[in-house]
Amino acid sequence: MPITQSILDVARRHPDRVAIAGEGGRLSYAELVEDSRRVFSVVDALHRAQHAVRDTAFGTRATAAPATLSDTVSAAEPAAAPEPAPETRGIPITAVSIDSAFHTSRIIAGLAGYRAVSATIDPRWPLEHRVNVIVTTGIGVVVSDADDLAPALRERGWGGTIISLAEFRAAEEGVGDPDRPLAPPPTVRDGDEAFLLLFSSGTTSAPKGFLKTRDQYRANVAVSSAYLEPLPGVHTLAPGPVSYSLTLYALIECLATGGAAHMADAFDAIEMARRVSEERITRVVAVPALVQSLSDAARRDPSRFGSLELVVTGGANLSASLRAGLASVLPDVRLIGYYGAAEIGFIGDSRGGDGTLIEVYDGIGFEIRSGSGERLPDGEFGTLWIDAAACSDGYLAGTTDAVLRGDDGWATVHDQGRVVDGKLQLAGRAGDIVVTGGHKVALPEVERAFEGMPELGAGAGVGAGAAAVCAIALPHPRLGSVVALVIEGGADGPVPGKDAMRAWARERLAPQFVPRQWYRIDALPRTVGGKIRRAETVALIESGEGERL
């Protein structure tokens, strides 16, 4: 079902049903349709203004072009209007880079029924990354409140338009005047039309851009609907930035299936408990690192989570201890950890144990290949390749020369794994598998061995070893590299001794997997979503930041 068709159908049959709700606003499906007309009217005027005569003083909110072009373009020497990446086939690109999840969501949803490509850019990205993705993809309009963005774009000769959220909302209020009519109602678009521009992580490396066509997203929603239960009328809470593909997908799948998308600017356990209770939330979609916070909130007041039925996390390797912790306080709540890649779509999920074995969804092809492209037998580690209808065609040439799809149409984001009894066992990215003494060692497997170690759970305050340790590879003159374990803790309590950890590891790991070196660090480097940064951990240890145990 196309997202726009779903929105229009629900607006006609259930006009008062909640479509999007969040801090700062609430829209029913009928209101979303009308809001879409104002959103596109403003965005369309902004793009058109860039191609108008540039010596006119566009810039006041009362003019037909509701933007301050002078903030980014010199009136004396106007820069050329950005040309959208050729892969869009000429469709203008609009980006939203603000903290408000509600307004980001309604703008993205509002543009879905028009000839428009939308993007979300994390405002917490380094300035260089934000500037590069805007310039290299040809984004023409950016909704942003950042003070540093306009001057940096001006230095790069960018001729687009930046408008603050306050200015954007003021421009919307003027839509409907005789000289600024409402846009026509949204319509269902052709399936091969570009719909969304997304980016790979921009936290530590240059982001790579890729497009999703409407057909690709429809295929993704079909898989999600079959397995992850975004059902009509279901109230889903998706806390966190909409720039996360997980949060963005939750928004789209809710609207495409007639559900209610409850968005939140950030994850706050107390606020989440209130919203689950008051909004009768039955489904939560969140990053794995937030499961512990959810459990803690439920432990304080389980009655507030009485409506909750399902928690969906975007990460299959959800620790058994986190699963057990949630089950102990909310025994009737089911937990699904799905595995997927933003470029490819939903691939499979795990629903019990330590989440290491993934049931791949029907219709998704998968195989493990060597570095030379040969298919490997079951049990051998290699690179995971996927065949899925939801997969993007490739990365935008202006952002990278990396290849997403092979000549046979299969795709890889270079995740590593192996096939065990017909299921997929993940081992992280390419850098997560190391060779020591001629043996291949999967570093995430080393980390999982420490789950449930009582001393680590107490020291880290999370009850899960995988959240408190990071396995890394360090150079070794004879073995090439050795496995080392970095333990987070010490500030709130003692960490276990090296002998105790070595004994624990020897009982649970093959000899080549047992760490040979041990370090302690006050805090492991993490992404904003809570994922440990392995490469930065290595850099800290090599620079002497860690305490050798």
Side-chain angles (χ1 to χ4, degrees), residues 76 136 181 184 188 321 378 389 462 470 476 535:
T136 58
V188 178
S321 57
D378 290 5
V462 295
C470 179
H476 189 275

Side-chain angles (χ1 to χ4, degrees), residues 5 78 111 125 145 148 256 294 414 428:
Q5 186 66 62
L111 295 177
W125 273 2
D145 294 323
D148 58 354
L294 191 155
H414 303 286

Side-chain angles (χ1 to χ4, degrees), residues 138-344:
I139 291 171
V141 170
V142 182
V143 183
S144 172
D145 294 323
D147 294 330
D148 58 354
L149 190 56
L153 286 168
R154 183 165 55 242
E155 289 181 4
R156 292 283 296 271
W158 182 71
T161 305
I162 290 183
I163 183 170
S164 70
L165 177 59
E167 291 171 329
F168 191 91
R169 297 183 67 187
E172 289 180 289
E173 292 176 2
V175 172
D177 294 341
D179 59 338
R180 292 172 58 192
L182 275 171
T187 59
V188 178
R189 311 291 302 180
D190 290 341
D192 63 351
E193 188 177 85
F195 168 43
L196 287 175
L197 169 60
L198 297 97
F199 303 98
S200 62
S201 173
T203 304
T204 59
S205 60
K208 300 185 288 290
F210 54 95
L211 292 169
K212 288 290 184 185
T213 67
R214 297 172 187 274
D215 272 345
Q216 288 164 354
Y217 235 112
R218 292 166 190 170
N220 208 33
V221 170
V223 175
S224 172
S225 300
Y227 294 97
L228 302 179
E229 306 179 29
L231 304 176
V234 165
H235 287 253
T236 296
L237 175 61
V242 186
S243 54
Y244 285 9
S245 60
L246 174 145
T247 312
L248 178 62
Y249 282 8
L251 168 70
I252 298 298
E253 69 182 4
C254 285
L255 298 178
T257 56
H262 295 262
M263 317 304 290
D265 299 347
F267 188 89
D268 179 273
I270 295 176
E271 176 64 13
M272 184 180 69
R274 182 191 67 79
R275 294 186 69 181
V276 169
S277 176
E278 294 181 0
E279 302 281 5
R280 306 302 296 168
I281 300 293
T282 59
R283 180 173 177 264
V284 169
V285 178
V287 296
L290 302 182
V291 174
Q292 181 64 44
S293 296
L294 191 155
S295 298
D296 292 341
R299 190 171 290 109
R300 287 191 292 268
D301 189 358
S303 64
R304 306 200 76 176
F305 292 85
S307 63
L308 189 60
E309 299 175 359
L310 175 64
V311 174
V312 177
T313 68
N317 286 349
L318 191 65
S319 73
S321 57
L322 286 180
R323 291 176 183 272
L326 183 64
S328 69
V329 291
L330 297 174
D332 297 326
V333 174
R334 294 171 295 123
L335 179 58
I336 301 174
Y338 76 78
Y339 165 61
E343 297 95 321
I344 297 173

